Amino acid sequence: MLLPDTFNALVIGSSGSIGSAFAGLLAGEPRCCALRQLARSAHPGFDLRSPERFASIVETLVPQSPFGLIVDATGALTLPAGRPEKALRELEAGRLAEAFSVNTIGPMLLMRHLAPLLARGPSVYLKLSARVGSIGDNRKGGWYGYRASKAALNMMLQCAAIELQRNNPLTQVLAVQPGTVRSALSQPFLAGQTQVLEAPDAVAGILRALDQLTPCAGARFIDNRGQDIVW
Ligand SMILES: NC(=O)c1ccc[n+]([C@@H]2O[C@H](COP(=O)([O-])OP(=O)(O)OC[C@H]3O[C@@H](n4cnc5c(N)ncnc54)[C@H](OP(=O)(O)O)[C@@H]3O)[C@@H](O)[C@H]2O)c1
């Protein structure tokens, strides 16, 4: 059991399919005493590419803190610069920088500001990652920027877990693969997929996993059933 008996929760990216499913299920969770949501489109708003605003935005969350659960469900696969790269000849500096900005640098700078708001004792920092960010599991290649930005995210989550657990061994950092979930992010790539989950089903599985897992040293990279994924 990774969560405390009662907790306040924060969901970042609550406008997305998976983020809104987290907010919906946590709103009906009796152990969740207070729920805050953060989305780009709702006041105070935030953009992962504008980290200079993070300190003042996080300041607005202090009244609901400490949080026993922080979920960051942000991320992007298709970027303003285009669809994910399939081949080396498609690599461009700007597109790669965009992927790292939204999937790695933004989320980690946000975590930097949010970490002091985690509850002492049992607490979870859950970041949506992706199985395609696994180096050990990469047998198909492609999606260079997305894969690499999630792999880099995973490495930084592990660094953060080690650092946070020095002060609070019961803090668990999770990098989570939600499954293939119907959403704006996945929609262009669903053709031929046989096992597509609806977001509430994927999130219900993740929340069940939080009740079944026990704290461990370092971060964990898990799927929506709580199964470990090779880094
Ligand atoms: N769906 C899947 O099959 C799947 C599979 C593996 C991993 N994931 C991961 O799961 C997470 C959630 O994905 P999803 O499927 O729920 O996608 P989604 O519905 O497209 O949601 C993405 C969320 O990220 C936010 N976001 C994107 N760019 C942002 C930016 N620059 N600043 C602030 N917010 C930004 C979006 O905000 P707006 O609403 O304002 O755009 C939205 O809240 C992502 O990390 C994704 O990599 C998803």
Side-chain angles (χ1 to χ4, degrees), residues 13 15-18 40 46-49 73-75 102 127-130 146 150 177-181 183-186:
S15 55
S17 291
I18 295 171
R40 176 158 52 173
F46 77 105
D47 193 309
L48 290 162
R49 297 160 300 182
T74 62
V102 173
K127 174 72 192 94
L128 269 297
S129 181
Y146 184 68
K150 293 290 193 180
Q177 150 70 11
T180 300
V181 178
S183 73
L185 178 147
S186 65

Side-chain angles (χ1 to χ4, degrees), residues 93-231:
R95 179 147 63 171
L96 288 170
E98 265 181 27
F100 276 80
S101 174
V102 173
N103 291 321
T104 318
I105 299 168
M108 289 310 301
L109 291 178
L110 204 48
M111 185 178 190
R112 170 197 156 177
H113 291 284
L114 288 169
L117 304 192
L118 279 168
R120 285 211 62 78
S123 54
V124 173
Y125 197 100
L126 190 163
K127 174 72 192 94
L128 269 297
S129 181
R131 189 186 298 276
V132 296
S134 163
I135 293 175
D137 189 62
N138 182 2
R139 291 181 197 86
K140 281 175 37 186
W143 289 11
Y144 283 80
Y146 184 68
R147 282 185 186 273
S149 62
K150 293 290 193 180
L153 168 74
N154 287 353
M155 175 58 87
M156 289 217 241
L157 290 173
Q158 171 72 341
C159 290
I162 291 167
E163 181 183 335
L164 296 177
Q165 287 174 345
R166 283 191 196 119
N167 281 328
N168 181 8
L170 294 179
T171 291
Q172 188 71 63
V173 176
L174 297 174
V176 176
Q177 150 70 11
T180 300
V181 178
R182 197 178 309 283
S183 73
L185 178 147
S186 65
Q187 194 57 45
F189 310 97
L190 290 183
Q193 291 284 343
T194 48
Q195 287 184 318
V196 180
L197 296 171
E198 300 304 325
D201 297 329
V203 170
I206 296 167
L207 291 175
R208 267 196 303 278
L210 298 189
D211 283 336
Q212 286 156 8
L213 295 172
T214 48
C216 71
R220 279 180 94 147
F221 186 18
I222 57 165
D223 68 15
N224 62 317
R225 289 166 304 167
Q227 301 288 313
D228 286 306
I229 299 173
V230 60
W231 289 107

